[in-house]
Amino acid sequence: MKKSLLIIFTVSILLFSIGIVSEVGYSAEKVYAEKEAAKPSYKNRSEIPEQYKWKLEHIYPNQQEWEKDIKKAIELANKFAKYEGKLIKSQKMLKKAIDDYSNLMRVHDKAYVYAHMMLDANSSNAKLQDLADRADKMSVSVRENTSWLSPEIAELSKKKINTYLRDESLTDYNYFISNIIRKKSHTLSKNMEELLAQSSPLASTPKNIFEMLTKDIQFPVITDKDGKELELTRSNFFSYLENDNREVRKKAFQLYYETLKKYQDTFAQTLGGEVKGNNFYAKARKYESAMEGSLISNNVPTKVYDQLIETVNQHLPLMHRYMALKKKMLGVEELHMYDIYTPIVQVEQNYISFEEAKKRVIEGLKPLGEEYTSVLKKGFEEGWIDVYPTKDKRGGAYQWSSYDTHPYVLLNYEGTRDDVSTIAHELGHAMQSYYTNNNQPYISSGYPIFTAEVASTMNEQLLWHNEYNSAKTKQEKIYLLNQRLENFRTTLFRQTQFAEFEKMIHEKDQKGESLNAEALKKVYKSLNEKYYGPVMISDEEIAMEWARIPHFYSSFYVYQYATSFAASTALAKQVLEEGETAVSRIRNNFLSAGSSDDPISILKEAGVDMSTAAPIEETMTVFKETLDELEKLLSEE
């Protein structure tokens, strides 16, 4: 399966659980009743009007057609396995192998995506659960029957490869082939590659246990200031941290992490198992570390990771200054971790209808040109988006597609400002898929998370600029400035903190040190103190935060949110300042590029060089300017 296919799916589903899109919100207690009265509410999927549901019939008109592709994928996979050792003895045979692989994977992806999106919209449906299970089994069969291809290409001599690559018929496959050769020293024998492919379900065990454990944990009921009992859950935790009543958010914070602490040893064993697995696979493939294995396999130099941490650490005084401002605006004697999510300014938070949200997104993304917005309008009107939540619909938001379908976006729209931003974010993914699939052959149509999150966060940044320029009151400007600073905190600073934690615990395991609960808590709390600075009371409970972060079960993943945020900040600025010149460069060299080259080179062609610390430095300058502007507006009051 194309790597980007799963990456975009997984990343987007989990965005809200770690608070990437935005962790700033509103007082749930104050506006909840008004919002509930205004927004549509649907008990089940059949009640939702058709214009608000995605049209999966664009993929298959009925299940019978899907059945044909499931059967076809398995047949093609079995046939492909029979070519092992025979297909790449000449340039012509190599091309045939890649063409056959592409044709197989196009059928695979289409069938796999359809089954899982059907289930995501109706997760309690037993028949759809069976469809997804069958798609999973088909996928395992395909992986097992294609695992020989890369090792066999890697066995070709340098002379033969260079001869092949000079042939014009392989031009579209140059990067795909070169990338395999580049990883030759880390490619194992065919038997070992098959063994590792078969072990992939075992490698996902820690993640599966984490998901089941967090799903099964029951949190206590809390009591608000009026004595009303409120249920605390994983999904509503942040709404309580946003509450304008300090006792409510303090109580929610303490009870949440005290509950996690009861399971700290299980969480530690689970995360420790993930780390040990990552280090094992890295060692098996002869990488010096799991970080190197993760980054280099995606053709990203390890210095990008290290210089991100180093540069962000150098600018932590800016973060500390922001925390000091938060403390002042909240009017508290001590700033605690449970205080940082509550908004420092209140603005009217009326329900935003989905029709109004569409207008705001299209207006905000106008700087990307008429062609771009015309495709957005098509997506809104032609069944790309599944809008409203129901009880049996998967939570969160994501974009997913296959090469032979238009992009699809899953939302759980509730009518908040954050939800509008989420639409822009997921459509950034959708537009990158749209442009890539229309400009690249299958083999280079995927794209890694390193570039994927750039497109989505660039859209968010452009939307923010439009909202800020359209703000009618000083209060709204203060709110939007704080919202932007929160995006910096939660994406650039917070994800770098996560990245540094992940690096440290993998290094501890490599050295043979224990990753028990106390060791993990000590590392995490010390990092939290460093990132938030002396003004913050780093509450003991925060030492358990690592136990609720799902992205620690995706090896060396989160750093890309921070690098993407920096890259998108630079590109959004270029769009606003250069206009069509920048839009054309970004569309042709980035959005349409897929994996036709390494991600660093693709972004460099688009206008931002992530091989240097310059984009991080420039983003810190924007953070400082935003902080300056907020302080200036506040001083005028």
Side-chain angles (χ1 to χ4, degrees), residues 396-432:
Y398 68 70
Q399 182 273 156
W400 208 6
S401 67
S402 71
Y403 188 75
D404 293 302
T405 72
H406 60 68
Y408 285 92
V409 170
L410 179 140
L411 301 173
N412 279 277
Y413 188 77
E414 298 279 359
T416 68
R417 285 176 179 258
D418 279 356
D419 286 340
V420 178
S421 184
T422 299
I423 295 171
H425 180 102
E426 298 305 333
L427 286 174
H429 291 310
M431 292 301 291
Q432 188 171 11

Side-chain angles (χ1 to χ4, degrees), residues 9 94 160 211 310 377:
F9 175 60
L94 177 57
K160 185 171 285 190
E211 290 176 350
E310 181 182 349
K377 292 174 184 176

Side-chain angles (χ1 to χ4, degrees), residues 345-440:
V345 61
Q346 295 289 347
V347 295
E348 188 176 3
Q349 293 280 358
N350 294 326
Y351 175 81
I352 304 167
S353 72
F354 187 68
E355 298 305 317
E356 173 62 23
K358 290 195 296 188
K359 293 177 184 177
R360 293 190 185 190
V361 169
I362 291 170
E363 184 65 29
L365 300 182
K366 271 187 178 179
L368 290 172
E370 186 176 344
E371 177 187 313
Y372 191 97
T373 54
S374 68
V375 179
L376 288 181
K377 292 174 184 176
K378 181 178 180 181
F380 277 124
E381 302 301 326
E382 297 186 9
W384 291 19
I385 305 173
D386 206 80
V387 180
Y388 293 112
T390 56
K391 185 174 67 174
D392 61 351
K393 182 178 177 180
R394 184 155 192 163
Y398 68 70
Q399 182 273 156
W400 208 6
S401 67
S402 71
Y403 188 75
D404 293 302
T405 72
H406 60 68
Y408 285 92
V409 170
L410 179 140
L411 301 173
N412 279 277
Y413 188 77
E414 298 279 359
T416 68
R417 285 176 179 258
D418 279 356
D419 286 340
V420 178
S421 184
T422 299
I423 295 171
H425 180 102
E426 298 305 333
L427 286 174
H429 291 310
M431 292 301 291
Q432 188 171 11
S433 294
Y434 174 86
Y435 278 114
T436 294
N437 290 346
N438 279 282
N439 287 280
Q440 296 293 332

Side-chain angles (χ1 to χ4, degrees), residues 275 279 289-292 302-303 305-307 309-310 495-511 515 523 527 552 555-559:
V275 171
N279 282 339
S289 67
M291 184 183 82
E292 182 188 58
T302 55
K303 73 172 185 178
Y305 198 105
D306 291 331
Q307 74 187 5
I309 293 173
E310 181 182 349
Q495 302 309 313
T496 303
Q497 177 186 341
F498 288 169
E500 190 168 356
F501 174 75
E502 192 172 7
K503 181 182 179 183
M504 290 174 70
I505 62 176
H506 279 79
E507 289 174 345
K508 284 176 73 68
D509 178 68
Q510 267 192 308
K511 295 174 184 176
L515 292 182
V523 172
L527 283 174
F552 290 152
S555 178
F556 294 95
Y557 195 88
V558 295
Y559 86 97

Side-chain angles (χ1 to χ4, degrees), residues 331-343:
V332 294
E333 290 186 11
E334 292 182 342
L335 184 69
H336 288 259
M337 290 302 299
Y338 50 78
D339 291 320
I340 61 175
Y341 296 97
T342 189

Side-chain angles (χ1 to χ4, degrees), residues 139-171:
S139 184
V140 170
S141 175
V142 168
R143 288 199 301 272
E144 290 176 352
N145 286 313
T146 58
S147 62
W148 61 268
L149 180 60
S150 292
E152 200 160 304
I153 293 175
E155 288 177 3
L156 294 171
S157 68
K158 186 176 181 179
K159 181 179 179 181
K160 185 171 285 190
I161 281 291
N162 289 335
T163 301
Y164 287 176
L165 293 181
R166 284 195 292 268
D167 192 288
E168 288 186 4
S169 67
L170 288 174
T171 299

